[in-house]
Amino acid sequence: MSAASSVPMRSNRARSARRRAVLTSAGAATAALLMAACSSGGTSGGGGNTNFVMGKDGVSTAKRGERAAAPDLSGETVDGGQADVASYKGKVVVLNVWGSWCPPCRAEAAGFAKVSEELKDKGVQFVGINTRDTSIQNAVAFEKQYGITYPNLYDPTGKLMLRFKKGTLNPQAVPSTLVLDREGRIAARSLAALSDDVLRSMIAPVLAEK
């Protein structure tokens, strides 16, 4: 083989190696995000000055002046519609990250359906983010089984969760629950399955804000 013909081969190998590195990096990021997936707890997020504290109930909260804005959370829903969390500004928004494959998610689902109905006329909007369900039919069956009527964004690869900045009250496990204030800022977070009472106590202080 001549020296001239070996150059393109080396160039092709280099390009292939770069593509593999990019794909591996993206896969590792998603895997790291969901490393605590389907657990009954989690770890506090980000590094540096996080400006939030964790209570004895495992719920982390941020003061009004120290809250980070939620990222763009919009797209197709499990039922084939569209949803955009930003459209609910002016309401308190409860974001629940779940998967039909996750036992703690199943344990808390009926309670979320119940509390969402209790609070929907009081300015509280629930939105789910379904993740890691490779079959949308499984997510649809989950909604039906537990009587969930609020919109659920379909995010099988975890792209929406990767939009949250490090050091904020970002979701790091499945299930995770966030409460956004009326300005769309992240006020509270839990990285564990929630009972009805803890869910209500997580929402109440944010709902009481004027």
Side-chain angles (χ1 to χ4, degrees):
M1 181 183 294
S2 69
S5 62
S6 66
V7 171
M9 290 182 67
R10 287 198 297 270
S11 179
N12 289 338
R13 284 197 295 269
R15 283 196 295 270
S16 296
R18 284 195 296 271
R19 283 196 295 269
R20 285 195 299 271
V22 170
L23 290 172
T24 301
S25 176
T30 300
L33 173 69
L34 297 171
M35 184 168 56
C38 206
S39 65
S40 59
T43 57
S44 58
N49 297 320
T50 53
N51 295 324
F52 56 82
V53 295
M54 180 182 290
K56 292 180 180 179
D57 56 3
V59 175
S60 299
T61 57
K63 296 178 181 179
R64 292 183 73 169
E66 299 175 347
R67 294 172 185 170
D72 170 35
L73 299 169
S74 61
E76 184 180 356
T77 57
V78 166
D79 62 3
Q82 293 285 321
D84 184 350
V85 170
S87 70
Y88 299 119
K89 272 193 177 181
K91 293 185 176 183
V92 172
V93 175
V94 180
L95 288 174
N96 178 239
V97 180
W98 61 275
S100 68
W101 44 268
C102 169
C105 301
R106 294 195 291 270
E108 70 178 5
F112 272 72
K114 178 182 177 182
V115 176
S116 70
E117 288 297 316
E118 290 176 359
L119 299 180
K120 68 180 182 180
D121 293 329
K122 298 181 180 180
V124 179
Q125 175 65 50
F126 278 59
V127 178
I129 300 177
N130 170 257
T131 192
R132 309 308 286 179
D133 265 316
T134 54
S135 170
I136 201 167
Q137 285 76 21
N138 292 338
V140 170
F142 184 97
E143 285 185 330
K144 184 176 180 180
Q145 180 179 355
Y146 294 105
I148 296 172
T149 57
Y150 50 82
N152 286 274
L153 290 162
Y154 185 54
D155 185 32
T157 61
K159 290 188 298 183
L160 294 180
M161 285 189 287
L162 289 171
R163 293 178 181 176
F164 287 85
K165 293 180 180 178
K166 290 183 178 180
T168 67
L169 289 172
N170 52 331
Q172 294 182 354
V174 182
S176 289
T177 300
L178 308 181
V179 178
L180 309 185
D181 64 20
R182 292 179 177 88
E183 298 300 317
R185 301 169 301 186
I186 308 167
R189 177 192 67 184
S190 171
L191 298 177
L194 298 175
S195 67
D196 298 9
D197 288 342
V198 174
L199 176 59
R200 291 189 189 96
S201 68
M202 187 176 174
I203 299 167
V206 187
L207 187 57
E209 293 175 356
K210 302 299 182 183

